[in-house]
């Protein structure tokens, strides 16, 4: 039995998501691909269209009421994000295009201007490509070294290897808070304390943590935290980089343009103070407003209730999937978020994905932008079913039945 939060009827929340009333291949949609991108509640869609209908203007530059209204909505969203992740100040919240841009910003702004050949960044083998390639580019540009922490067979980080990875040349730890393939929630608070004992800052990729659990950046004490709105029931093209204020003040800008300056001449430029220094050009104003609406939607439910709901779904799904002969779960360590990867004997993940699609079930099959992790498990791909707050036990029953159908078709 699912243990629902007493105040929240998750089944009724489905009605907030218009797309879940549509069909896939003529069948009711069973959407199990929220780790790729979550569906959007009406509240988010309405907040964005209201902005275009009623309040649209550019921000930070108009001296007329519409622009003031748009600016207030945009800056209020910064406050909403600050409270959601428990940052100390809203000046620590920078709007970026997503997790990917947030990591590139740190690598290029901080890394490229301050580090030297031979300096080291600690990563893990479970990183998404967006937390590998920006550091690889920096390696090509200035000759830094990448140190990669391995995972155990059940998908946990090797903490002893992590402890031993620090040297006097370590400049950054950049790790995922929760894995998009294994679901593993890493012990980031403890890992941050270890890094800080070596005076090394920590960047956390929160793309798969923020949608599933309460996050408190001050409690973790990480120096940087990044996430994408589209995985958090918000729009695409917008995300957040949190950075401790004292570090931000000292970081050079990432891109140049309008809105990030104080004064400009051809000989000298002075930059805006605070987050605007990193928000060159007209931002995705509607996206920021949609992100704030998504956060407010989640706050009304409570992230703890979302976490409990998804943990109950995991408790239901994991034994049911394990009981299917020939199915192997990849990533069984706990704690984990509602992300389940698996492979089947003698059936390629893409074939399973195709059968599931014909049953109306959306999952992802592939390398999940984590090729090094696939190589670690000697797999070309996995099937990944991932949960959102709208999923229900009966959808897991349908998933299990469709996998059994695939077995009959391919064996
Ligand atoms: N990091 C993790 C763990 C992810 O799962 C993803 C997306 O799947 C990303 C980073 C990249 O996010 P985005 O494409 O929104 O920048």
């Amino acid at each position: 039995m699912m243990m629902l939060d007493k105040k929240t009827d998750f089944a009724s929340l489905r009605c907030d998501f218009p797309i879940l009333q549509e069909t896939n291949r003529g069948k009711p949609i069973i959407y199990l691909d929220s780790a790729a991108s979550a569906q959007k509640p009406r509240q988010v869609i309405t907040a964005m269209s209201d902005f275009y209908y009623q309040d649209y203007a550019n921000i930070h530059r108009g001296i007329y009421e519409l622009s003031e209204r748009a600016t207030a909505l945009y800056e209020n969203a910064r406050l909403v994000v600050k409270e959601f992740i428990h940052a100390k100040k809203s000046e620590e919240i920078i709007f970026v295009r997503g997790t990917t841009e947030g990591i590139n910003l740190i690598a290029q702004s901080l890394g490229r201007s301050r580090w030297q050949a031979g300096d080291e960044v600690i990563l893990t083998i479970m990183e998404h490509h967006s937390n590998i390639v920006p550091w690889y580019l920096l390696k090509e540009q200035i000759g830094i070294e990448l140190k990669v922490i391995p995972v155990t067979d059940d998908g946990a980080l090797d903490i002893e290897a992590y402890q031993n990875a620090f040297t006097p040349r370590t400049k950054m730890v950049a790790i995922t808070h929760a894995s998009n393939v294994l679901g593993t929630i890493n012990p980031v608070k403890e890992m941050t304390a270890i890094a800080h004992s070596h005076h090394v800052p920590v960047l956390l990729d929160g793309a798969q943590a923020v949608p599933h659990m309460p996050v408190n950046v001050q409690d973790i004490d990480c120096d940087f935290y990044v996430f994408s709105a589209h995985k958090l029931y918000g729009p695409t093209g917008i995300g957040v980089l949190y950075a401790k204020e004292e570090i931000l003040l000292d970081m050079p800008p990432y891109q140049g343009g309008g809105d990030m300056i104080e004064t400009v001449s051809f000989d000298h430029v002075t930059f805006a103070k605070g987050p605007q220094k990193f928000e060159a050009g007209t931002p995705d104003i509607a996206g920021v407003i949609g992100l704030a609406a998504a956060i407010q939607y989640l706050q009304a439910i409570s992230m703890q209730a979302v976490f409990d709901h998804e943990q109950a779904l995991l408790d239901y799904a994991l034994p049911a999937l394990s009981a299917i002969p020939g199915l192997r779960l990849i990533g069984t360590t706990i704690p984990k978020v509602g992300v389940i990867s698996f492979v089947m004997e003698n059936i390629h993940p893409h074939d399973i994905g195709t059968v599931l699609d014909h049953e109306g079930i959306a999952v992802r099959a592939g390398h999940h932008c984590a090729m090094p992790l696939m190589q670690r498990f000697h797999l070309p791909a996995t099937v990944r079913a991932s949960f959102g707050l709208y999923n229900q036990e009966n959808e897991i029953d349908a998933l299990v039945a469709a996998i059994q159908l695939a077995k009959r078709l391919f064996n």
Side-chain angles (χ1 to χ4, degrees):
M1 274 301 291
M2 186 183 299
M3 285 172 15
L4 288 180
D5 179 273
K6 283 187 190 62
K7 294 187 293 298
T8 313
D9 174 8
F10 277 90
S12 72
L13 292 179
R14 276 183 81 84
C15 307
D16 292 337
F17 294 80
I19 208 166
L20 297 180
Q21 324 311 321
E22 300 290 325
T23 55
N24 183 58
R25 306 252 180 229
K27 302 201 168 143
I29 293 181
I30 297 183
Y31 190 73
L32 294 174
D33 197 20
S34 294
S37 202
Q39 298 298 350
K40 321 302 170 200
R42 186 175 291 103
Q43 290 81 342
V44 168
I45 301 166
T46 306
M48 294 175 77
S49 65
D50 280 355
F51 169 62
Y52 281 122
Y53 273 110
Q54 297 160 17
D55 302 307
Y56 182 77
N58 210 332
I59 56 164
H60 292 152
R61 46 194 91 172
I63 46 162
Y64 50 92
E65 197 214 336
L66 260 191
S67 175
E68 283 169 8
R69 283 214 303 262
T71 304
L73 285 167
Y74 184 85
E75 289 303 330
N76 182 56
R78 214 186 289 281
L79 203 63
V80 170
V81 174
K82 172 227 160 209
E83 276 163 20
F84 184 57
I85 61 169
H86 303 277
K88 205 187 286 176
K89 295 182 172 181
S90 54
E91 286 79 8
E92 297 175 320
I93 305 300
I94 299 164
F95 291 119
V96 288
R97 278 197 300 130
T99 307
T100 302
E101 190 180 49
I103 298 170
N104 276 281
L105 192 161
I106 297 301
Q108 290 300 313
S109 164
L110 189 68
R112 196 161 182 184
S113 68
R114 302 276 195 271
W115 303 345
Q116 286 166 5
D119 285 344
E120 296 165 2
V121 174
I122 297 178
L123 307 173
T124 82
I125 199 154
M126 67 168 79
E127 299 311 314
H128 188 280
H129 295 165
S130 68
N131 197 26
I132 299 175
V133 183
W135 307 111
Y136 169 84
L137 290 175
L138 204 54
K139 174 181 157 133
E140 295 283 289
Q141 288 160 348
I142 63 168
I144 62 162
E145 305 283 335
L146 308 185
K147 286 199 150 177
V148 183
I149 307 305
V151 293
T152 58
D153 288 344
D154 60 356
L157 278 184
D158 181 340
I159 295 298
E160 203 179 317
Y162 173 70
Q163 278 167 328
N164 294 332
F166 290 86
T167 76
R169 300 300 303 266
T170 310
K171 290 291 183 220
M172 177 76 83
V173 167
I175 52 175
T176 196
H177 191 168
S179 161
N180 67 314
V181 177
L182 309 166
T184 310
I185 302 174
N186 290 316
V188 290
K189 187 172 172 179
E190 293 74 9
M191 293 175 80
T192 300
I194 292 169
H196 286 174
S197 73
H198 294 276
H199 308 289
V200 172
V202 174
L203 181 155
L204 295 180
D205 171 351
Q208 298 294 344
V210 161
H212 300 292
M213 57 198 275
V215 169
N216 183 326
V217 291
Q218 286 192 78
D219 181 53
I220 298 170
D221 200 27
C222 56
D223 303 275
F224 307 99
Y225 197 97
V226 285
F227 62 95
S228 301
H230 70 96
K231 297 183 196 284
L232 190 69
Y233 310 96
T236 52
I238 192 74
V240 168
L241 163 64
Y242 156 83
K244 282 183 180 165
E245 191 185 30
E246 60 269 25
I247 304 180
L248 272 187
L249 288 174
D250 196 39
M251 264 170 46
Y254 166 54
Q255 295 178 330
D259 225 28
M260 50 77 75
I261 51 84
E262 264 173 7
T263 62
V264 175
S265 75
F266 287 104
D267 300 319
H268 191 61
V269 174
T270 57
F271 301 113
K273 307 275 181 294
Q276 269 173 261
K277 183 167 74 174
F278 300 97
E279 295 176 3
T282 300
D284 183 353
I285 310 166
V288 165
I289 289 167
L291 166 60
I295 290 175
Q296 283 163 337
Y297 178 79
L298 288 163
Q299 281 169 327
I301 301 167
S302 112
M303 284 312 295
Q304 188 59 48
V306 171
F307 180 76
D308 293 345
H309 171 66
E310 293 182 9
Q311 291 298 307
L313 286 177
L314 269 182
D315 290 347
Y316 187 79
L318 291 173
L321 289 168
S322 309
I324 300 175
L327 186 147
R328 178 158 72 100
L329 294 171
I330 308 297
T332 48
T333 192
I334 49 167
K336 68 187 257 139
V337 292
V339 171
I340 302 177
S341 272
F342 63 90
V343 288
M344 296 285 299
E345 230 167 51
N346 304 327
I347 318 180
H348 193 280
H350 288 143
D351 291 331
I352 298 173
T354 304
V355 174
L356 297 188
D357 174 41
H358 280 89
E359 296 304 301
I361 303 173
V363 293
R364 178 136 177 221
H367 55 64
H368 314 294
C369 298
M371 283 185 179
L373 188 65
M374 292 293 126
Q375 280 152 18
R376 153 70 179 83
F377 284 98
H378 310 291
L379 296 168
T382 70
V383 184
R384 182 185 70 185
S386 54
F387 304 146
L389 62 89
Y390 30 64
N391 291 122
Q392 297 293 316
E393 284 180 4
N394 64 342
E395 295 177 304
I396 292 166
D397 296 339
L399 172 69
V400 170
I403 296 169
Q404 276 156 345
L405 172 67
K407 253 175 84 74
R408 288 197 295 280
L409 291 173
F410 283 92
N411 281 329

